[in-house]
Amino acid sequence: MITYDAEGVKFPNIKKRETSNWIRKVAASYGKKVGDIAYLFVNDEKILETNNKFLGHDYYTDIITFDYCEGKIINGDLMISLDTVFTNSDKFGRPYDEELHRVIIHGVLHLCGINDKGPGEREIMEDAENRALDMR
């Protein structure tokens, strides 16, 4: 089951059923099935607090992914800062809706096993995001 909630921000203009079907389709393209995924949309202050508390990072980010996957079943909690999504859409010259969906699927791609911190991994992640966006 995929759930969506917001804390401290207005809920984003997404179509839940359509987005959930897209997420399942992307996961399936990696041989994965969706178990329980919970999205929480927050502001910069909340994501910074969470980043500090759970990861020891003292900086803003667009998404934090907590991975509870078991085998081929993807499960996780995904916290998205809508403030940072908005800032990044402006910074990268992308429409807000596209940037929001890029971040939504970024977390799913992490749950599917794609990383973006090591050498060459960022390019692999960006390519996977673009392919996933094309599936929307």
Side-chain angles (χ1 to χ4, degrees):
M1 176 154 80
I2 302 171
T3 60
Y4 306 89
D5 203 359
E7 179 183 313
V9 294
K10 183 178 177 239
F11 194 86
N13 186 23
I14 61 169
K15 296 176 180 165
K16 293 179 191 177
R17 182 174 294 139
E18 191 177 289
T19 301
S20 295
N21 288 338
W22 172 54
I23 289 166
R24 286 185 191 92
K25 188 160 87 169
V26 171
S29 75
Y30 289 90
K32 307 287 185 177
K33 291 188 82 167
V34 172
D36 293 318
I37 297 177
Y39 282 94
L40 180 61
F41 300 102
V42 299
N43 58 29
D44 271 351
E45 289 71 34
K46 181 65 176 176
I47 208 155
L48 179 62
E49 174 189 318
T50 303
N51 215 5
N52 269 310
K53 183 176 180 180
F54 293 100
L55 302 174
H57 299 157
D58 190 24
Y59 53 82
Y60 298 105
T61 187
D62 50 4
I63 184 168
I64 298 174
T65 303
F66 295 98
D67 182 338
Y68 312 122
C69 295
E70 297 178 11
K72 299 223 178 261
I73 309 295
I74 61 171
N75 302 289
D77 292 329
L78 293 88
M79 180 179 282
I80 295 175
S81 170
L82 295 181
D83 294 336
T84 300
V85 169
F86 181 79
T87 300
N88 286 347
S89 73
D90 188 48
K91 179 179 171 182
F92 300 124
R94 293 186 189 126
Y96 175 78
D97 181 65
E98 178 186 324
E99 186 64 18
L100 177 58
H101 283 86
R102 180 178 296 278
V103 174
I104 286 170
I105 210 62
H106 181 95
V108 170
L109 293 170
H110 275 307
L111 297 177
C112 289
I114 299 174
N115 297 311
D116 59 356
K117 301 291 185 210
E121 289 180 337
R122 177 167 294 283
E123 294 80 7
I124 292 168
M125 175 62 84
E126 287 175 7
D127 184 54
E129 289 170 353
N130 290 334
R131 282 194 321 272
L133 287 168
D134 287 343
M135 295 171 74
R136 215 171 116 221

